[in-house]
């Protein structure tokens, strides 16, 4: 089967931060928080702890549970910590690019963990290099650290406010200094971030599921264009951007976020069930069983079954033990139909007309394989339904997307995609249908569906800014 996940958009990162006045074990809390955010990145993990005098960092390639052990965490004592799990969209996959990034400058030390993508990072990097700044990594976060360092004489808060005026793109960012935990979210709120509390201790993180995992209560989402500063005096908020409009990435609800998270007032699981119901209204079909592609298509399949009255059943079984180091079968073995990640549950699909629900189709190669697997298990008909609109455009905001010519939806009509994947019929949710399921807030980034992005791609006037 090769890698079933290869045909999905990849989320870039997850971030977590805690500031504790009560003496919580901040490294351990961060570990469990990152563990709950592991779905956002499986390439590297790291934690930086502040003990009030200095910052200590531990990071490496691999999953959270591989990078940290009890001994490492016991040695990381402090009152505040930030953590990061990474899937690279900018910068190569190597340990130098693992986050958080730690830097020393005039005001002391600062570390940063970033989820998102700056669309003008290359321009700023070039200008900083022209001004004599040396870079150790190839990632956006170092550009931000260097901008803050250049403005340091104004004091940390002003340096951060000045820096966010210069950067363009998507970011949910958490920083730590000796005395402060700082969170910021871009003026369009494309990537998510929320605030939680354990007693009087504060937490910032990418998704609310991480708050649940560490026993914290959800306070609120960080607002678009907001800087949150947490220290011994509590929480202070600075709104650095005028005319903000929360344009959360729609793919957070469709695929990236864990179903037990709520983002910007919308529960992820509820929105996926609603997408399945809406999908039936838009693309009904007569069939015997509704099957979801594990794990991301399951909630929508439950919704489709509910709306259609066709029974929901398990038709595909996932092998949970295929790790990142898994050896992909050779082409020759693949042709022999070596199924590694998913297998059909023959007893449920044999002789049946199957509705197969997935959350998205990116390249189409996996969809094609899934249809083949079901047919081989005896499915009489396979009707493919997708609980999101046709993906036609790449993303510039911190999602690893293929080039446009590799997106099956940018090259082909729905009928041509149906022929390519070998299904009896194919139906997608419309953009209007998607927005109907995301009730409770206005504004989403739908760039990968309609080519309309919350901000245009780069770039002007950074030279002026750097010389000010």
């Amino acid at each position: 089967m090769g890698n079933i996940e290869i045909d999905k958009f990849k989320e870039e990162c997850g971030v977590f931060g805690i500031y504790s006045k009560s003496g919580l074990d901040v490294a351990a809390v961060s570990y469990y928080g990152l563990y709950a955010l592991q779905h956002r990145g499986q390439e590297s993990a790291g934690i930086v702890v502040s003990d009030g005098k200095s910052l200590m960092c531990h990071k490496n390639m691999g999953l959270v549970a591989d990078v940290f052990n009890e001994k490492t965490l016991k040695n990381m004592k402090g009152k505040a910590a930030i953590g990061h799990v990474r899937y690279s969209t900018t910068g190569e996959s190597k340990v130098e690019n693992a986050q958080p990034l730690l830097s020393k400058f005039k005001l002391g030390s600062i570390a940063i963990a970033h989820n998102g993508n700056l669309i003008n990072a290359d321009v700023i990097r070039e200008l900083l290099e022209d001004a004599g700044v040396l870079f150790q990594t190839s990632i956006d976060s170092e550009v931000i650290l260097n901008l803050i360092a250049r403005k340091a004489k104004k004091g940390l808060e002003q340096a951060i406010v000045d820096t966010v005026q210069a950067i363009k793109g998507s970011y949910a960012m958490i920083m730590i200094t000796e005395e402060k935990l700082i969170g910021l979210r871009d003026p369009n709120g494309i990537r998510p971030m929320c605030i939680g509390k354990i007693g009087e201790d504060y937490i910032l993180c990418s998704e609310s599921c991480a708050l649940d995992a560490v026993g914290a209560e959800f306070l609120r989402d960080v607002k678009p264009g907001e800087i949150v500063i947490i220290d011994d005096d509590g929480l202070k908020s600075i709104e650095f951007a005028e005319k903000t409009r929360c344009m959360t990435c729609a793919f957070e609800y469709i695929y990236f976020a864990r179903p037990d998270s709520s983002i910007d007032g919308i529960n992820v699981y509820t929105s996926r069930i609603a997408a399945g119901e809406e999908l039936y209204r838009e693309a009904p079909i007569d069939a015997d069983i509704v099957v979801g592609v594990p794990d991301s298509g399951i909630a929508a399949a439950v919704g489709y079954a509910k709306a259609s009255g066709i029974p929901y059943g398990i038709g595909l079984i996932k092998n949970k033990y295929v790790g990142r180091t898994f050896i992909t079968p050779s082409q020759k073995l693949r042709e022999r139909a070596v199924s590694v990640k998913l297998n059909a549950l023959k007893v449920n699909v044999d002789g049946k007309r199957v509705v197969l629900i997935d959350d998205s189709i990116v390249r189409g190669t996996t969809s094609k394989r899934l249809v083949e697997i079901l047919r081989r298990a005896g499915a009489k008909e396979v009707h493919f339904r997708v609980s999101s609109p046709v993906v036609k455009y790449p993303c510039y905001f911190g999602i690893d997307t293929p080039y446009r010519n590799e997106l099956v939806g940018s090259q082909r009509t729905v009928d041509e995609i149906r022929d390519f994947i070998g299904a009896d019929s194919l139906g997608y949710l419309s953009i209007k249908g998607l927005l109907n399921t995301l009730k409770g807030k206005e504004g989403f980034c739908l760039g990968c569906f309609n080519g309309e992005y919350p901000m245009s791609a780069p770039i002007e006037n950074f030279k002026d800014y750097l010389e000010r």
Side-chain angles (χ1 to χ4, degrees), residues 275-452:
E277 294 175 326
E278 189 77 20
L279 183 57
Y280 175 71
R281 288 191 279 274
E282 290 189 355
I285 194 76
D286 196 18
D288 304 310
I289 185 172
V290 179
V291 166
V293 177
D295 294 307
S296 53
I298 286 174
V302 169
Y304 195 96
K306 191 173 150 194
S308 65
I310 303 164
Y312 166 78
I314 294 169
L316 292 164
I317 300 292
K318 185 178 185 182
N319 182 345
K320 294 182 172 69
Y321 304 101
V322 181
R324 292 180 71 254
T325 51
F326 174 75
I327 300 162
T328 307
S330 65
Q331 188 55 39
K332 203 165 179 186
L333 279 172
R334 269 211 293 275
E335 280 159 15
R336 292 207 51 147
V338 174
S339 293
V340 186
K341 282 257 174 141
L342 286 176
N343 202 17
L345 188 58
K346 192 176 166 72
V347 68
N348 267 356
V349 299
D350 195 6
K352 303 255 180 77
R353 297 167 300 165
V354 178
V355 185
L356 181 62
I357 311 269
D358 205 353
D359 62 274
S360 57
I361 296 181
V362 178
R363 288 183 175 90
T365 45
T366 299
S367 312
K368 186 181 177 124
R369 196 63 62 83
L370 293 174
V371 173
E372 283 168 15
I373 286 174
L374 288 173
R375 290 208 193 280
R376 205 176 300 120
K380 200 160 63 175
E381 295 170 12
V382 180
H383 300 280
F384 209 110
R385 294 293 179 269
V386 185
S387 60
S388 64
V390 183
V391 172
K392 296 181 177 180
Y393 302 90
C395 171
Y396 303 108
F397 301 120
I399 297 171
D400 186 20
T401 54
Y403 291 110
R404 193 168 173 208
N405 61 5
E406 293 174 19
L407 296 169
V408 71
S410 76
Q411 306 294 316
R412 295 175 164 94
T413 64
V414 173
D415 285 346
E416 287 167 343
I417 301 169
R418 180 201 64 211
D419 294 344
F420 173 70
I421 67 173
D424 291 283
S425 72
L426 172 63
Y428 285 86
L429 189 60
S430 66
I431 291 179
K432 186 171 177 253
L434 174 67
L435 293 175
N436 283 345
T437 69
L438 297 173
K439 294 260 192 299
K441 78 182 274 293
E442 293 296 314
F444 296 90
C445 179
L446 301 165
C448 55
F449 306 126
N450 61 12
E452 293 168 22

Side-chain angles (χ1 to χ4, degrees), residues 3-265:
N3 188 349
I4 193 93
E5 302 300 335
I6 208 110
D7 205 17
K8 293 288 183 200
F9 276 176
K10 296 289 188 198
E11 175 50 285
E12 191 189 4
C13 304
V15 295
F16 186 91
I18 174 167
Y19 192 98
S20 173
K21 289 204 293 189
S22 72
L24 281 178
D25 184 343
V26 292
V29 173
S30 300
Y31 171 84
Y32 293 115
L34 290 180
Y35 198 79
L37 296 171
Q38 186 78 82
H39 59 287
R40 297 185 76 85
Q42 297 92 49
E43 192 168 274
S44 65
I47 293 173
V48 169
V49 168
S50 165
D51 62 6
K53 297 184 192 67
S54 62
L55 302 186
M56 178 185 179
C57 178
H58 181 83
K59 60 185 178 180
N60 215 328
M61 305 304 286
L63 300 173
V64 177
D66 299 330
V67 172
F68 295 95
N69 57 36
E70 279 186 57
K71 191 177 164 202
T72 319
L73 292 168
K74 275 205 171 75
N75 288 333
M76 298 181 81
K77 291 273 171 265
K79 63 176 184 178
I82 64 171
H84 189 267
V85 286
R86 177 167 195 259
Y87 175 86
S88 64
T89 57
T90 62
E92 297 164 81
S93 171
K94 54 183 186 181
V95 74
E96 290 81 11
N97 286 337
Q99 295 191 43
L101 278 192
L102 176 55
S103 175
K104 290 185 169 54
F105 64 116
K106 283 176 194 153
L107 299 179
S109 296
I110 186 166
I112 185 171
H114 172 208
N115 169 213
N117 202 31
L118 303 187
I119 55 179
N120 61 349
D122 292 349
V123 172
I124 301 179
R125 177 184 289 264
E126 210 171 292
L127 294 166
L128 285 167
E129 284 172 341
D130 290 348
V133 174
L134 297 173
F135 282 83
Q136 313 297 317
T137 76
S138 57
I139 55 177
D140 294 357
S141 314
E142 193 178 5
V143 172
I144 297 161
L145 279 180
N146 278 311
L147 282 175
I148 292 170
R150 276 185 86 83
K151 299 285 176 185
K153 58 181 180 294
K154 296 183 172 182
L156 182 69
E157 283 179 26
Q158 194 53 50
I160 291 172
V161 171
D162 282 1
T163 295
V164 291
Q165 308 293 346
I167 58 179
K168 264 196 169 77
S170 66
Y171 48 90
M173 223 178 307
I174 298 183
M175 300 182 210
I176 191 174
T177 65
E178 285 86 352
E179 280 116 29
K180 293 181 195 296
L181 174 68
I182 299 145
L184 45 155
R185 195 173 175 196
D186 72 74
N188 292 293
I190 297 170
R191 306 257 73 85
M193 183 151 72
C194 62
I195 309 170
K197 251 184 144 181
I198 304 178
E200 290 307 298
D201 301 337
Y202 283 98
I203 288 174
L204 299 171
C205 56
S206 290
E207 285 182 46
S208 62
C209 65
L211 297 175
D212 299 332
V214 299
E217 61 170 314
F218 172 84
L219 277 189
R220 65 177 178 86
D221 293 283
V222 176
K223 290 182 229 147
E226 181 183 22
I227 301 172
V228 175
I229 299 169
I230 298 161
D231 56 21
D232 279 347
D233 299 328
L235 184 145
K236 173 180 165 188
S237 165
I238 301 170
E239 296 195 26
F240 65 84
E242 294 157 32
K243 296 195 301 228
T244 60
R245 182 157 181 242
C246 192
M247 304 288 281
T248 322
C249 164
F251 247 91
E252 289 288 352
Y253 301 101
I254 293 162
Y255 174 65
F256 297 137
R258 251 177 49 168
D260 51 332
S261 289
S262 288
I263 295 173
D264 294 323

